[in-house]
Amino acid sequence: MMEAEQKPYYWYVIRDMKRPNAHDSGYIALMEMTELNDDLFIPLKQMVYNQFGKRIVKQIPLFQDLIFIRRPRQEIEAILRQIPSLQFRFVKGKQATPMTVPAASMNTFIAAVQSTTDVIYYALNDVSEKLYGKRIRIIGGKLHGIEGRLLSRQGSKVKRLIVELLECNLAAAVTVEPDCIQIL
């Protein structure tokens, strides 16, 4: 009996050098690779296009340079050789060091984002300190155990949890039920 394959501890960040609306974008080729189903995450947004007089809704990457893959580096390098428009996103100031996100942080982020259809993405430098509320933990529901900051907007009746990926300057605000919030 074979042992289950152990997942890498990091998600690598890659980027697509083609426009998101190009027919041969690298992210499309990645999404078609069925072996990457659980090891690929691309933050998507809806865009409406006019094509031959018809309105078509498509899901395209929110940011072209944020595609996350959880595979050993050698396997990712092989994929990048197959799809030339993709390349590693490198850490600023560190020569030839691919950007990585710890698996625990990325799994929390993915769980939060996939728990709802109402997600607002932010670059961390776009979120001012005024928007950060108290540190909270979610008790119960789909997000049980996830910790983050409460998004505080004056006049808003909706409670949102901010989940951050500090390594790549990304945050997502997801709607949470007020009954499930525990202040830390």
Side-chain angles (χ1 to χ4, degrees):
M1 197 166 142
M2 291 181 66
E3 268 185 52
E5 186 178 319
Q6 188 174 5
K7 298 286 183 184
Y9 296 110
Y10 292 99
W11 287 74
Y12 284 90
V13 184
I14 61 172
R15 61 185 180 161
D16 190 353
M17 302 305 290
K18 295 226 177 174
R19 295 183 326 274
N21 61 346
H23 293 291
D24 58 347
S25 287
Y27 83 93
I28 294 171
L30 283 175
M31 291 173 78
E32 290 172 352
M33 294 177 142
T34 55
E35 67 271 13
L36 290 178
N37 279 349
D38 295 335
D39 297 328
L40 176 69
F41 179 72
I42 305 171
L44 299 172
K45 66 178 177 181
Q46 274 190 351
M47 289 293 292
V48 179
Y49 293 99
N50 276 328
Q51 190 173 25
F52 306 114
K54 291 185 179 181
R55 293 174 56 135
I56 295 174
V57 178
K58 287 186 179 181
Q59 295 281 338
I60 64 168
L62 181 68
F63 304 104
Q64 272 184 263
D65 63 344
L66 286 178
I67 299 171
F68 302 92
I69 299 180
R70 180 182 50 189
R71 285 291 167 105
R73 184 173 176 170
Q74 297 80 10
E75 286 184 36
I76 296 173
E77 287 171 348
I79 292 169
L80 298 183
R81 282 191 293 277
Q82 292 173 7
I83 308 170
S85 67
L86 297 177
Q87 61 181 222
F88 281 110
R89 184 170 178 202
F90 294 102
V91 177
K92 189 175 184 176
K94 292 187 178 182
Q95 194 170 17
T97 303
M99 187 178 286
T100 58
V101 177
S105 299
M106 192 68 202
N107 294 340
T108 299
F109 187 83
I110 291 171
V113 168
Q114 291 180 343
S115 71
T116 181
T117 57
D118 186 19
V119 179
I120 302 171
Y121 290 100
Y122 296 99
L124 284 178
N125 50 4
D126 291 345
V127 182
S128 72
E129 287 297 319
K130 294 177 186 175
L131 291 179
Y132 280 111
K134 299 175 180 171
R135 289 211 43 85
I136 62 169
R137 178 182 302 127
I138 304 300
I139 305 298
K142 294 179 187 176
L143 301 176
H144 179 74
I146 293 181
E147 295 182 9
R149 291 296 214 37
L150 193 60
L151 179 67
S152 57
R153 282 193 164 160
Q154 194 169 3
S156 177
K157 292 180 173 68
V158 177
K159 302 288 185 193
R160 293 186 184 275
L161 168 71
I162 298 175
V163 183
E164 301 172 330
L165 286 179
L166 298 174
E167 296 82 4
C168 51
N169 191 32
L170 181 65
V174 297
T175 307
V176 293
E177 293 294 324
D179 301 342
C180 298
I181 296 174
Q182 176 187 32
I183 297 174
L184 299 177

